[in-house]
Amino acid sequence: ILRAVDLSGATGQVDVSRLVIMGQSFGGYAALMAATQSDRFKAVIASAAPSNLASMRGAFDPHHEILPRDGLELNPNYGWSELGQGQLGVSPWEDPAKYVRNSPVFFADQITAPVLLIHGDGDFVRLSQAQEMFSALYRLGKDAQLLTAYGEGHIIVSPANRRAVTAHVLQWLAKVLAPEPFAD
């Protein structure tokens, strides 16, 4: 990510002193991981992002909590960390340290930028993932906000919710990227 930023900055068309990293789903996870490894970002926006790969692994899909008659299905979260996008290749009991190393929530203390977490309450990447990250950042006294989109799943699709989230993101960016006032 930072190599791409450096190359973009070399063009003179990108202000690398005001970097914002934003991602959705695995991109949100990547944004959080990048923020734990670099202080070059001035703001981080993570939407529908996993933050703790161990606790995500066994979470039930909200659909099956609401309609249990459909049966219990081990949703994509169960295999995501081992064989899916997470690509850890082992279960948490086989290599717990690998799950910790690859979960941004365990490195929340290293995040220096303000963080905006956006999550739908019906997402199969459970809302608790954003809540865990928010709680860690809050406890550490970091600048963090959690925006919950009620009635939404993994992707925010309601036009009203999309407008509200976009307005919130733009207001939040204006605040966190505002020039600092001159000191006397």
Side-chain angles (χ1 to χ4, degrees), residues 135-146:
S135 295
L137 294 167
Y138 180 80
R139 179 154 189 246
L140 290 163
K142 306 278 184 170
D143 186 351
Q145 284 189 15
L146 171 57

Side-chain angles (χ1 to χ4, degrees), residues 37 41-43 61 107 138:
Q37 299 170 31
F41 304 104
K42 299 303 176 214
D61 190 309
F107 302 97
Y138 180 80

Side-chain angles (χ1 to χ4, degrees), residues 180-184:
E180 295 185 23
F182 290 105
D184 292 332

Side-chain angles (χ1 to χ4, degrees), residues 49-184:
S51 65
N52 182 340
L53 302 190
S55 66
M56 178 181 157
R57 190 175 186 284
F60 296 159
D61 190 309
H63 167 84
H64 296 288
E65 289 180 356
I66 296 167
L67 297 170
R69 69 178 174 270
D70 288 349
L72 178 62
E73 174 185 292
L74 295 177
N75 68 17
N77 294 345
Y78 202 80
W80 183 91
S81 55
E82 280 182 56
L83 304 172
Q85 281 181 308
Q87 288 293 305
L88 298 182
V90 295
S91 68
W93 48 87
E94 292 172 300
D95 192 350
K98 193 170 195 177
Y99 277 75
V100 170
R101 282 192 315 271
N102 289 282
S103 295
V105 73
F106 290 102
F107 302 97
D109 63 324
Q110 296 175 28
I111 296 175
T112 59
V115 176
L116 175 60
L117 301 161
I118 304 166
H119 219 97
D121 69 330
D123 194 345
F124 64 85
V125 175
R126 298 311 304 263
L127 175 58
S128 60
Q129 291 293 303
Q131 292 168 337
E132 281 187 57
M133 185 54 125
F134 174 79
S135 295
L137 294 167
Y138 180 80
R139 179 154 189 246
L140 290 163
K142 306 278 184 170
D143 186 351
Q145 284 189 15
L146 171 57
L147 180 60
T148 303
Y150 292 98
E152 297 289 355
H154 194 59
I155 298 169
I156 297 170
V157 295
S158 157
N161 282 342
R162 290 180 71 123
R163 283 190 297 275
V165 168
T166 299
H168 187 93
V169 167
L170 293 175
Q171 289 171 357
W172 183 81
L173 284 172
K175 178 184 149 228
V176 300
L177 295 177
E180 295 185 23
F182 290 105
D184 292 332

